[in-house]
C-alpha cells in the first residue's frame, strides 16, 4: 500500500504512540496517507479512537513482522 509518511512507535508506552501519530497527522496535507507501525493492542485501540474523533480514515491494518501497520488517510475537515 502506498503512503506519504511513516512513523514507528513500536515499544512506546501509552499515550506516546497516539500523541506522535496525532502530531504527524496534523502536519500531513489533506489526502496524505500515514503508515503507523505499532506492536501493542492498546496503541491500536487508542489510535482508532483518535481516527474516529478527527477527519481521518483508517484505510487498512496489516500484520507486519513485529506488530501491525495502520494506514491512515487525512480527509477534509468536517463541517461544523
Amino acid at each position: 500500500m502506498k503512503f506519504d509518511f511513516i512513523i514507528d512507535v513500536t515499544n512506546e508506552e501509552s499515550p506516546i504512540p497516539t500523541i506522535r501519530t496525532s502530531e504527524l497527522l496534523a502536519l500531513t496535507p489533506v489526502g496524505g496517507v500515514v503508515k503507523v507501525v505499532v506492536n501493542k493492542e492498546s496503541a491500536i485501540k487508542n489510535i482508532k479512537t483518535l481516527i474516529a474523533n478527527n477527519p481521518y480514515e483508517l484505510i487498512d491494518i496489516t500484520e507486519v513482522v513485529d506488530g501491525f501497520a495502520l494506514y491512515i488517510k487525512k480527509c477534509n475537515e468536517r463541517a461544523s
Side-chain angles (χ1 to χ4, degrees):
M1 172 162 289
K2 292 184 181 183
F3 56 90
D4 302 296
F5 303 99
I6 185 170
I7 185 168
D8 184 342
V9 288
T10 55
N11 299 317
E12 295 284 350
E13 295 299 324
S14 185
I16 299 302
T18 307
I19 292 169
R20 291 190 58 208
T21 300
S22 179
E23 291 171 344
L24 181 55
L25 283 163
L27 299 172
T28 301
V30 171
V33 175
V34 173
K35 177 181 178 181
V36 182
V37 181
V38 299
N39 66 342
K40 296 184 180 183
E41 289 292 328
S42 61
I44 294 171
K45 180 182 174 189
N46 292 336
I47 292 169
K48 283 183 174 182
T49 300
L50 172 72
I51 294 165
N53 293 320
N54 290 281
Y56 309 137
E57 176 186 351
L58 180 60
I59 299 172
D60 196 13
I61 298 179
T62 59
E63 195 165 346
V64 293
V65 175
D66 291 325
F68 296 89
L70 291 80
Y71 294 87
I72 306 165
K73 181 178 179 181
K74 184 171 183 177
C75 303
N76 287 326
E77 296 293 323
R78 292 186 177 141
S80 302

